[in-house]
Amino acid sequence: MLAIVPSATLLGAEGRPVSVEVHVANGLPAFSVVGLPDEACREARDRVRAALLSSGLPWPMTRITVNLAPSGVRKSGAGLDLAIAVGVLVAADAVPADAVHGLAFLGELGLDGSVRRVPGVVPLVAALDGSTPVVPPGCEAEAALVARLEVRSARNLSELVEVLARGAPWPPPAPAPDVGAEATLPDLADVRGQVMARLAIEAAAAGGHHLLLLGPPGAGKTMLAQRLPGLLPALGRDLALETTMIHSAAGLPLPDGLVRRPPLRAPHHTASLVAMVGGGTASMRPGEVSLANGGVLFLDEVGEFQPAVLDGLRQPLEEGVVRVTRARASVQFAARFQLVAAMNPCPCGASGQPGACRCGEATRFRYLRRVSGPLLDRFDLRLEVARPGVEELLGVPTGESTAEVMVRVRIARDAAAARGHGLSSAIPGPLLDDVAPLTKAARLVLRRELEADRLSGRGLHRVRRVARTLADLRGCHGEIDEEWVSTALNLRIDPLEHARRAA
């Protein structure tokens, strides 16, 4: 007898529909799985058999062939276990075929018959066109984000058979996990001093500019970077759903349903290229750049990352996507993120402090050159951060809070949106004269920089975009004057020139 049960498999951050075809026929007892299954998927034959027997359900002592269609798509993971088990029961006449009509099954089986959650419930359910999803307990809320019909769940095979074969009611959804109180975002008011660094964080939030912080340990670089997501607005519905699917595919918890807050990802400097951009397995796992979609990717001690890993960021920064191509499959991940990097001026971190630095000039230059020129050029904001003074650390007055700064950030973003070109960092070069017109004094400042060869053509465009953001933050939406251009230039240091001055 033949049974066909709908399900789905994960490839990248997308679900692919799969028809689980189970054929039971006379012959020597055997169980084979075909249709490009990976090792974890192929091992379903042992898990399904043990789960059925542990649940007191019949196991046909015949030849069982399972085909995972379409056969040209690679199947990965254990998410097809439940569909295979239901297919075996239907083909063996233990469950009526009409009972599974219109249902699709997702979940891994334990040897005791329990149904366990799998990564990627959101994209998997999204791939089930027109079918009612049956998911593991605790996954109902995630599945409901994209399900077209009511979501069902079962704790184990015995409970599922009671519903399908004996007409028992579907069990109620499992209670949502207790996630506790909502985490409080760090406040910008905690940062003492650092007037220019605070301005750079504000400009990065308002204009979507990438930011590099250069300074010694203890200057507050990490503290500043961690406060950038709190200045960003909540993600829109489409972007939130896109980011949620990526997080779900990576197996990250989704306690609040849709990912509304801009995420902050801070990978360790030992992260490999695959961990950063994605891939690595048959299911093409999303990398850190995709997990930061809609939010911030913070690279602390960026000079310690492998140069090949850093250069792998250049294409996602420009295009907002990552394309991972392997011999059997090719996937595309969304990767629209803001890059914030922090680094010491030298390996020991004491450059510029008389008698403290133990690094030679060649060592300092070699360390700074680990960030390649093409990647460095993608940072609109490059700022030197010094350690705050004693009075700043011990003084009572604090700076503006995140809530106060967010008001200006929102106004600047609204002004940029009204122009129809997105954030200031995305203004096309040919439109800068229209969107960011310069006063005569501002043009003279930029002319001097170009004539002194301190600014390239690409750098000129980036300075004008930053100046547009700075002007918008202060409510100046017309021509950009000398003040904003000069400030934008001050927020664009050359790390190598900084090292020469320190030497």
Side-chain angles (χ1 to χ4, degrees):
M1 184 176 177
L2 176 67
I4 301 177
V5 179
S7 188
T9 190
L10 194 65
L11 185 62
E14 297 181 4
R16 303 289 176 91
V18 174
S19 293
V20 178
E21 303 172 348
V22 181
H23 185 261
V24 176
N26 294 329
L28 292 175
F31 191 111
S32 57
V33 182
V34 298
L36 284 184
D38 69 352
E39 190 60 31
C41 192
R42 193 177 294 111
E43 290 171 350
R45 58 191 176 193
D46 299 315
R47 289 192 298 271
V48 169
R49 182 176 184 275
L52 263 66
L53 295 177
S54 298
S55 302
L57 299 170
W59 177 260
M61 298 301 294
T62 55
R63 183 174 186 82
I64 303 173
T65 304
V66 178
N67 179 45
L68 307 177
S71 299
V73 176
R74 187 77 174 177
K75 321 301 186 307
S76 61
L80 298 173
D81 286 6
L82 185 59
I84 293 174
V86 171
V88 171
L89 291 172
V90 172
D93 289 329
V95 170
D98 293 343
V100 301
H101 179 71
L103 299 177
F105 299 86
L106 300 168
E108 177 185 348
L109 286 178
L111 300 186
D112 60 351
S114 60
V115 181
R116 299 172 180 171
R117 67 182 303 128
V118 292
V121 169
V122 177
L124 289 174
V125 172
L128 303 176
D129 188 15
S131 298
T132 298
V134 180
V135 300
C139 298
E140 297 92 339
E142 297 178 33
L145 294 174
V146 292
R148 298 168 178 83
L149 301 172
E150 187 175 359
V151 178
R152 307 294 190 181
S153 68
R155 291 173 295 182
N156 49 57
L157 273 179
S158 299
E159 192 173 72
L160 182 60
V161 171
E162 285 293 322
V163 174
L164 298 177
R166 300 177 180 89
W170 284 97
D178 184 12
V179 298
E182 188 177 13
T184 302
L185 293 176
D187 200 306
L188 199 59
D190 300 332
V191 179
R192 299 300 182 97
Q194 304 293 8
V195 176
M196 290 299 292
R198 289 172 61 97
L199 177 60
I201 289 290
E202 185 176 339
H209 305 286
H210 305 304
L211 172 64
L212 174 65
L213 299 172
L214 180 70
K221 303 185 297 294
T222 302
M223 189 177 187
L224 287 160
Q226 290 172 342
R227 280 146 181 80
L228 176 57
L231 295 173
L232 301 177
L235 305 183
R237 169 72 185 185
D238 292 342
L239 182 56
L241 183 58
E242 182 180 67
T243 305
T244 299
M245 285 198 174
I246 294 172
H247 283 221
S248 178
L252 300 184
L254 302 172
D256 300 323
L258 279 179
V259 179
R260 290 289 190 181
R261 281 184 175 178
L264 172 65
R265 301 294 300 181
H268 193 260
H269 63 260
T270 57
S272 65
L273 180 60
V274 169
M276 190 67 72
V277 302
T281 65
S283 60
M284 301 285 197
R285 179 184 171 91
E288 290 291 337
V289 296
S290 298
L291 295 174
N293 186 59
V296 177
L297 178 66
F298 175 46
L299 303 184
D300 199 5
E301 304 295 346
V302 67
E304 301 295 339
F305 282 79
Q306 292 296 321
V309 174
L310 296 178
D311 286 337
L313 301 175
R314 287 156 55 182
Q315 180 257 342
L317 286 172
E318 290 294 325
E319 300 184 17
V321 296
V322 172
R323 299 179 183 87
V324 181
T325 303
R326 299 292 182 265
R328 292 184 178 271
S330 178
V331 298
Q332 179 172 297
F333 297 110
R336 294 188 291 273
F337 61 92
Q338 274 187 259
L339 178 61
V340 179
M343 70 183 304
N344 296 328
C346 65
C348 77
S351 178
Q353 303 177 42
C357 182
R358 302 184 298 273
C359 306
E361 183 177 353
T363 302
R364 288 196 295 271
F365 284 128
R366 185 164 56 249
Y367 180 76
L368 293 172
R369 285 195 181 101
R370 291 177 68 88
V371 180
S372 66
L375 178 61
L376 185 65
D377 200 36
R378 284 163 171 80
F379 288 102
D380 293 352
L381 301 167
R382 305 198 293 254
L383 179 68
E384 179 183 357
V385 183
R387 286 176 178 168
V390 175
E391 294 301 326
E392 292 175 324
L393 292 174
L394 299 179
V396 175
T398 59
E400 290 179 297
S401 66
T402 295
E404 294 172 299
V405 176
M406 276 189 69
V407 174
R408 293 196 297 271
V409 170
R410 188 178 297 111
I411 292 173
R413 281 179 167 254
D414 289 344
R419 300 186 190 105
H421 303 294
L423 297 176
S424 299
S425 60
I427 299 173
L431 298 180
L432 280 172
D433 287 335
D434 298 328
V435 179
L438 301 172
T439 63
K440 184 176 181 180
R443 287 187 176 277
L444 289 176
V445 172
L446 291 175
R447 176 180 290 276
R448 286 196 296 267
E449 295 295 316
L450 290 168
E451 290 174 347
D453 203 23
R454 291 191 293 265
L455 199 62
S456 65
R458 178 183 291 181
L460 171 65
H461 287 173
R462 295 188 181 277
V463 168
R464 293 185 66 177
R465 294 184 182 112
V466 173
R468 176 74 277 168
T469 299
L470 294 172
D472 287 342
L473 283 169
R474 296 304 180 266
C476 303
H477 306 309
E479 285 188 323
I480 298 173
D481 61 21
E482 179 184 2
E483 176 187 359
W484 310 122
V485 169
S486 298
T487 304
L489 289 169
N490 290 334
L491 293 174
R492 187 180 172 81
I493 67 166
D494 184 346
L496 293 177
E497 184 62 31
H498 173 272
R500 293 189 186 96
R501 292 200 311 267

